[in-house]
Amino acid sequence: MKPSNIGGQAVMEGIMMRHKDKYAVAVRRPDKEIELKVEDYKCTFGKASFLKKPIIRGVVSFVDGLVVGTKCLMYSAEIAGDEEDEEEAAKNAKLSEEELSAKKEKEAKQFQWLLYITVAISIVVSVAAFMLLPYALASLLRKVGASEFGVTVAEAFVKLALFLGYMFLISRMKDIQRTFMYHGAEHKCINCVEHGMPLTVENVMASSRQHKRCGTSFLFLVMLVSICLHFVFVLVPVYWVRLFGRLLMVPVVAGISFEMIQWAGRTDSKLADFFSKPGLAMQKLTTKEPTPDMVEVAIKAVEAVFDWKQYLKDEFGWEPEEENEEDHADIS
């Protein structure tokens, strides 16, 4: 396997794929056509060089992933839903070009505010549910004389139980099943090209739906790293210092987890494979086998931002024959 630096996520009835300074969202419309949108990637925090330093880049990537991912989810929900209703279309038809432009600009600003509010709420809820709540529940053991070390161990088990329980429950939800199928299509596309195969529906369907750089693996690593780092606070005597210390450690945890998962995605070493196994096992819950039409959507998203033919030529010495290219076009 040779890393391609492609990343992505599943959205409503589609896929978002990102490579370098571009990202694309491909969504299957209600009329079964594929809607494709390509945009420039712009870092939320700017282009300062220190943002690319180890650990810091992990925090930046995590927040950026939330912003871009939420934006793509909201866009896909709009495209995958019903078309503009007749009443709204009639109202827009009565507006002048200036009025329609002003209306769209206002809606764009509202969308931007909604996006940032959604991301902020997501971060707060995640920290509260998977960082602070486990500590609060484990702290109840002090009433029966448990030591701080015992509380920290209990916190680790509560944290893992909450995370695994959450993943299991959402994996059982009918509404999320199709999104997980698209998640599988995303992984299969990346695995297909990274293993030196032409990006066709047949090859993608035959590829693995598990990948070491998956967001599920990243979240699982966040849990494990946070558990390890929280033992640092065992000797801290003041409760509030321990609590706020955990909050301050959140960016550090995200940064370390990012570096670990990037390292695992770049190498085929036995050590990387060993550390990747728990995350890969978790992906059995968050990825499902896609259908060929879902794979078609994923391929569209990849091809919009990534020249896979040039990649295969550079990394694997693969030269497509003209007749094969035609066959591939017919398949996909």
Side-chain angles (χ1 to χ4, degrees):
M1 183 190 76
K2 297 187 178 181
S4 61
N5 294 320
I6 312 173
Q9 74 170 59
V11 294
M12 294 289 291
E13 292 300 322
I15 299 284
M16 180 275 284
M17 286 288 190
R18 178 188 155 198
H19 182 248
K20 294 183 178 179
D21 59 351
K22 296 280 185 183
Y23 70 90
V25 190
V27 182
R28 182 75 72 177
R29 298 174 62 90
D31 61 7
K32 304 306 178 184
E33 294 295 319
I34 299 175
E35 181 86 10
L36 181 66
K37 180 182 180 182
V38 181
E39 289 198 354
D40 293 330
Y41 164 74
K42 295 179 181 178
C43 179
T44 307
F45 299 95
K47 297 182 178 180
S49 59
F50 79 91
L51 295 174
K52 297 179 181 179
K53 299 293 184 182
I55 306 299
I56 295 175
R57 63 189 175 191
V59 180
V60 172
S61 179
F62 175 68
V63 176
D64 260 359
L66 280 175
V67 172
V68 175
T70 304
K71 182 179 180 181
C72 293
L73 272 171
M74 294 165 71
Y75 169 77
S76 67
E78 179 183 348
I79 298 300
D82 294 330
E83 300 291 331
E84 183 181 49
D85 59 49
E86 294 181 7
E87 185 179 349
E88 185 67 19
K91 287 181 180 178
N92 288 338
K94 294 177 182 179
L95 299 175
S96 65
E97 287 187 13
E98 291 79 9
E99 290 173 329
L100 188 59
S101 177
K103 181 183 177 183
K104 288 182 178 180
E105 186 177 344
K106 181 180 178 182
E107 289 175 348
K109 288 181 179 179
Q110 291 174 339
F111 178 86
Q112 198 74 10
W113 275 108
L114 180 60
L115 173 64
Y116 289 130
I117 291 171
T118 302
V119 170
I121 292 174
S122 299
I123 293 174
V124 171
V125 170
S126 297
V127 171
F130 298 111
M131 296 288 182
L132 300 184
L133 180 61
Y135 181 60
L137 292 176
S139 295
L140 297 175
L141 292 176
R142 288 196 187 88
K143 295 181 178 180
V144 294
S147 66
E148 190 58 38
F149 181 82
V151 169
T152 304
V153 171
E155 178 191 359
F157 281 104
V158 172
K159 186 175 292 186
L160 285 174
L162 286 174
F163 180 73
L164 294 174
Y166 170 76
M167 286 297 185
F168 177 76
L169 288 175
I170 64 170
S171 71
R172 308 301 295 176
M173 294 171 61
K174 271 192 173 182
D175 292 343
I176 208 75
Q177 290 294 316
R178 285 187 64 81
T179 303
F180 283 172
M181 291 170 75
Y182 275 107
H183 190 193
E186 174 220 332
H187 283 190
K188 281 174 171 283
C189 271
I190 297 174
N191 276 320
C192 180
V193 295
E194 289 187 343
H195 284 83
M197 296 188 293
L199 196 61
T200 67
V201 173
E202 290 176 341
N203 286 340
V204 172
M205 289 294 289
S207 299
S208 171
R209 72 174 198 262
Q210 296 172 310
H211 198 282
K212 288 192 286 188
R213 287 189 287 109
C214 173
T216 302
S217 294
F218 172 75
L219 291 176
F220 192 73
L221 263 179
V222 166
M223 291 293 108
L224 296 182
V225 172
S226 68
I227 287 170
C228 293
L229 291 182
H230 287 171
F231 279 96
V232 173
F233 298 99
V234 169
L235 300 177
V236 177
V238 184
Y239 174 82
W240 291 108
V241 174
R242 289 194 299 268
L243 182 61
F244 283 108
R246 281 165 164 74
L247 286 174
L248 293 174
M249 289 295 285
V250 169
V252 178
V253 168
I256 292 174
S257 302
F258 176 83
E259 298 300 330
M260 290 178 67
I261 203 166
Q262 289 296 307
W263 164 73
R266 290 192 301 265
T267 178
D268 287 324
S269 69
K270 292 183 178 179
L271 183 62
D273 290 343
F274 174 77
F275 281 112
S276 298
K277 282 183 179 180
L280 293 174
M282 285 294 300
Q283 289 176 41
K284 292 180 180 179
L285 293 176
T286 61
T287 63
K288 302 296 180 185
E289 285 296 324
T291 57
D293 64 312
M294 291 177 174
V295 168
E296 288 177 354
V297 176
I299 290 175
K300 281 280 188 183
V302 172
E303 292 182 332
V305 296
F306 183 70
D307 188 348
W308 60 268
K309 291 182 181 179
Q310 187 62 46
Y311 168 81
L312 292 184
K313 181 179 178 181
D314 294 341
E315 298 293 335
F316 298 92
W318 178 78
E319 287 282 358
E321 298 177 6
E322 290 186 10
E323 58 180 5
N324 287 342
E325 285 187 316
E326 291 175 3
D327 291 341
H328 297 160
D330 291 338
I331 292 170
S332 60

